[in-house]
Amino acid sequence: MNKDLIQKVLKFRNERNWEQFHNPKDLAISLSLEASELLENFQWKTNEEAIEENSENIKDELADVLIYSILLAEKLDLNIEDIIENKLEKNSQKYSVEKAFNSKKKYTDL
């Protein structure tokens, strides 16, 4: 992940003295709430309708989800690149190309 972007997020937080409110529990709750707000854009709509009608709001809510993810990773002293690469490796074991290609099944059903 771009280190400059992470630093911008942290600078924004620090300039407002918000770190005092950012414990892992509350950041995880905020992340979930923002993900729910992202989902609201798609409720009762087709993909096409949601994107056409709510494109800007979808971008804003997705940005909030990503920002809270950055803040939570920072608070837990986790390297975003490392944890993503680790998860991709785990997923590659669960979802081998041979078994998972062109399938939407969960790895336990492959």
Side-chain angles (χ1 to χ4, degrees):
M1 174 157 281
N2 184 310
K3 304 277 189 228
D4 291 337
L5 181 60
I6 292 171
Q7 290 307 311
K8 284 180 183 178
V9 170
L10 298 178
K11 181 177 186 276
F12 182 89
R13 176 202 64 196
N14 293 342
E15 287 175 342
R16 288 150 183 83
N17 195 32
W18 287 348
E19 186 175 7
Q20 63 182 316
F21 309 117
H22 289 178
N23 60 71
K25 174 193 66 83
D26 288 327
L27 289 169
I29 290 169
S30 295
L31 176 57
S32 179
L33 292 171
E34 294 299 340
S36 295
E37 290 179 15
L38 175 61
L39 282 172
E40 275 186 315
N41 290 286
F42 293 91
Q43 187 176 26
W44 313 120
K45 296 176 175 70
T46 65
N47 288 327
E48 294 78 15
E49 289 170 335
I51 293 166
E52 184 178 310
E53 294 172 18
N54 302 315
S55 178
E56 282 305 308
N57 199 47
I58 289 169
K59 290 177 195 176
D60 288 345
E61 298 304 338
L62 181 56
D64 286 340
V65 168
L66 295 168
I67 289 167
Y68 276 117
S69 296
I70 289 169
L71 292 170
L72 182 57
E74 187 268 341
K75 184 56 66 175
L76 296 174
D77 198 26
L78 301 173
N79 181 294
I80 293 171
E81 290 178 11
D82 290 346
I83 64 174
I84 290 173
E85 287 179 16
N86 186 35
K87 183 60 176 176
L88 286 172
E89 179 57 35
K90 288 177 183 179
N91 284 347
S92 72
Q93 299 300 315
K94 291 179 185 177
Y95 298 98
S96 68
V97 173
E98 296 79 23
K99 289 183 180 179
F101 185 80
N102 210 28
S103 174
K104 61 182 177 180
K105 293 181 181 178
K106 187 174 177 177
Y107 70 96
T108 53
D109 297 329
L110 292 174

